[in-house]
Each structure stands twice: as C-alpha cells, then as structure tokens.
Amino acid sequence: VLNVHHAELLPLALLIRLLNGSVIVYVPHELEAERAGQRKSKSRLITLIERLAWPNLAGVAVVNESIADEYLQCYGAPRPRVVEN
C-alpha cells in the first residue's frame, strides 16, 4: 500500500503501482490545487495529476466534508472518506 499525501508524488506512486501492483491511498491534508501562495500554473498541473490518478486510487481520505465534496465535484465518484482530526 502506497500512502501518498502530496499530489506531486502521485505520478511516482502510479509508476510503482505499474511495476509491482501496489494500491494507492491518497490522503491530502488540504485541497492540493488550492494551496495558499501557489502559482496558478502549479495549481493547474496538480489538478491534471489528480484527475489522471483518480481512477487508479484504491481510496482517498480527507479532513473535512467540504474538501470531500470538492473532490467529488471535480473528479467524480467515489466520494473521499472524511477522517476528522
């Protein structure tokens, strides 16, 4: 199981998944594409990475309902699980 916390690492996780059949669990700590102080070009790149990775994820867990709703709206089902701190 690969536990990925940052979108920038999703391409590497997908490569590892191809090589050895691992499953990927994505646990972003916030909306990755909306991080404060981030350039618009990086936000667009992160959105693309997440969109391409989404169908290959075994699960997604986020910290609140609004983030889960946003990911569901952007990338479709399945809705991420909410694990509040």
Side-chain angles (χ1 to χ4, degrees):
V1 175
L2 302 170
N3 184 347
V4 179
H5 293 267
H6 298 285
E8 294 91 342
L9 294 175
L10 284 170
L12 177 60
L14 291 168
L15 177 62
I16 293 169
R17 180 179 180 269
L18 283 173
L19 295 174
N20 70 11
S22 297
V23 295
I24 304 168
V25 177
Y26 185 41
V27 187
H29 297 284
E30 57 186 310
L31 281 171
E32 289 288 296
E34 302 295 326
R35 275 191 250 162
Q38 184 167 266
R39 291 186 180 151
K40 232 178 195 178
S41 59
K42 185 170 182 180
S43 291
R44 284 190 291 251
L45 178 61
I46 287 173
T47 299
L48 177 63
I49 290 169
E50 287 178 335
R51 186 176 309 283
L52 293 173
W54 200 257
N56 299 291
L57 303 176
V60 179
V62 296
V63 297
N64 63 45
E65 296 291 338
S66 63
I67 292 175
D69 292 342
E70 185 69 25
Y71 275 121
L72 179 63
Q73 181 181 352
C74 287
Y75 307 127
R79 186 176 191 277
R81 293 184 183 257
V82 175
V83 180
E84 294 179 354
N85 293 338

